[in-house]
Amino acid sequence: MSFLDLSFNSLQFVPSDHLNSTLNHVQNLDLSLTDLPADHVAALLNNVKSGVAVERLNLSDLNLENTDPDVFGKAVSNLKSVKLSNCVMNDEQKRSLIQCLADSNCCLREELDLSGVSLSGLEPKILSRGLSHIRNLDLGNCWLSYNQMSALTLSLEDSLVEHLNLAGNDCQDLDAEKLLVLTNQLKSIDLSSTRLKKEVLLEYLEVQGLEDGCRVKLSNSDFLSVNFRSRIKSYPTIDLKKEDLPFYVDENSCGYVDPVEMFESR
């Protein structure tokens, strides 16, 4: 079996040895949002070693704190793709993970999702070095500091990163020069909800022009001006995402509305 999706199922009473056995029978295993106990997760990761069948693992929204930091770092680095979105991890585990990712023997090259996990306490150069070999990198809402993002930007010149998600991080100090460096090295970057300044974006677009290149993803709700949104949408590299918010007509019905349209209608 190549893919086993157990997400959104409650696995809290499933014996850990039953789950561990799946590691040798599937290549892609999704255990996200399964209420898997922290000690079961620890036992599972302890068995992710070189030679097991599993190559891609999704542990999003699980508690990983019971896993030994060294075991955790080595287990993740033995895989090709790992999703750890909104996982509960301690600082020691985060440091071990980044250090193992920087090792030349690390296998993780395809995808790493750390969205929703605070990385603010990690040293900028160590962080950028550990993440520089991963093609698809999701760092959305990771509370990255300006120094961390600067180090990440500088490391991209010699990195393998192609797709980078920085959505939800504070990029208000990002200037046009650094934005150009980022886009020159990437195929796509998500900067939605990052407080990117209008003047920086316009300066970047003036240099970039109408040439095809890195896709820059932004959110409609980042820019309330209809004229400004229309202006930047004319550039082929800009993708404006429409993010609808729930709108309750009454207690029994729920619709969705564009926050920009809601603002303009007032």
Side-chain angles (χ1 to χ4, degrees):
M1 184 185 298
S2 61
F3 181 41
L4 178 60
D5 185 357
L6 296 175
S7 61
F8 294 94
N9 289 286
S10 180
L11 303 180
Q12 57 181 321
F13 300 116
V14 176
S16 61
D17 56 336
H18 289 189
L19 285 174
N20 295 342
S21 66
T22 63
L23 298 175
N24 290 312
H25 299 286
V26 298
Q27 293 178 313
N28 190 338
L29 180 60
D30 189 343
L31 296 173
S32 60
L33 289 160
T34 53
D35 297 322
L36 199 62
D39 56 336
H40 283 35
V41 177
L44 183 78
L45 289 172
N46 197 44
N47 284 279
V48 177
K49 301 173 182 177
S50 179
V52 297
V54 70
E55 297 176 341
R56 298 169 183 84
L57 184 61
N58 187 346
L59 297 176
S60 297
D61 294 276
L62 295 181
N63 187 341
L64 310 180
E65 286 187 308
N66 281 15
T67 306
D68 177 87
D70 291 334
V71 170
F72 173 64
K74 290 176 182 177
V76 171
S77 66
N78 277 327
L79 300 165
K80 291 182 178 180
S81 170
V82 180
K83 294 183 179 181
L84 301 171
S85 177
N86 296 312
C87 279
V88 178
M89 289 185 274
N90 58 49
D91 290 340
E92 195 173 349
Q93 287 174 316
K94 296 171 189 176
R95 285 192 291 270
S96 176
L97 169 63
I98 298 303
Q99 289 170 355
C100 288
L101 292 178
D103 192 285
S104 59
N105 294 319
C106 175
C107 299
L108 205 155
R109 295 286 185 268
E110 189 176 302
E111 178 184 20
L112 177 61
D113 183 352
L114 287 170
S115 59
V117 176
S118 176
L119 303 177
S120 60
L122 297 176
E123 204 280 326
K125 289 184 179 179
I126 295 175
L127 177 66
S128 60
R129 186 164 59 248
L131 300 176
S132 64
H133 304 294
I134 304 164
R135 289 194 296 275
N136 299 298
L137 194 54
D138 192 338
L139 301 177
N141 297 290
C142 284
W143 291 270
L144 296 175
S145 68
Y146 175 75
N147 288 335
Q148 287 175 319
M149 284 190 281
S150 295
L152 190 62
T153 301
L154 291 173
S155 72
L156 286 178
E157 187 173 355
D158 301 315
S159 80
L160 300 177
V161 181
E162 297 179 353
H163 305 280
L164 176 62
N165 182 8
L166 291 176
N169 291 287
D170 189 351
C171 294
Q172 63 177 327
D173 293 325
L174 185 68
D175 57 33
E177 182 180 353
K178 282 189 171 63
L179 182 54
L180 280 165
V181 172
L182 281 169
T183 56
N184 283 337
Q185 306 299 327
L186 299 168
K187 291 183 178 179
S188 72
I189 182 169
D190 192 334
L191 293 172
S192 56
S193 302
T194 58
R195 303 173 71 186
L196 181 68
K197 294 179 180 177
K198 283 185 180 180
E199 53 268 31
V200 170
L201 181 57
L202 289 176
E203 186 179 348
Y204 160 76
L205 291 173
E206 186 177 344
V207 176
Q208 176 66 28
L210 296 175
E211 294 182 13
D212 197 16
C214 173
R215 309 295 296 183
V216 180
K217 299 178 183 178
L218 300 165
S219 171
N220 252 355
S221 57
D222 292 336
F223 310 103
L224 295 179
S225 168
V226 175
N227 290 334
F228 185 80
R229 296 205 313 270
S230 298
R231 182 178 177 182
I232 63 177
K233 280 174 67 175
S234 65
Y235 289 86
T237 56
I238 299 295
D239 287 336
L240 271 180
K241 299 187 297 182
K242 182 177 180 180
E243 297 179 339
D244 292 341
L245 297 176
F247 175 71
Y248 293 90
V249 179
D250 55 45
E251 60 196 30
N252 297 316
S253 62
C254 175
Y256 288 86
V257 63
D258 184 338
V260 176
E261 293 176 357
M262 182 172 63
F263 176 84
E264 292 171 349
S265 65
R266 292 178 176 176

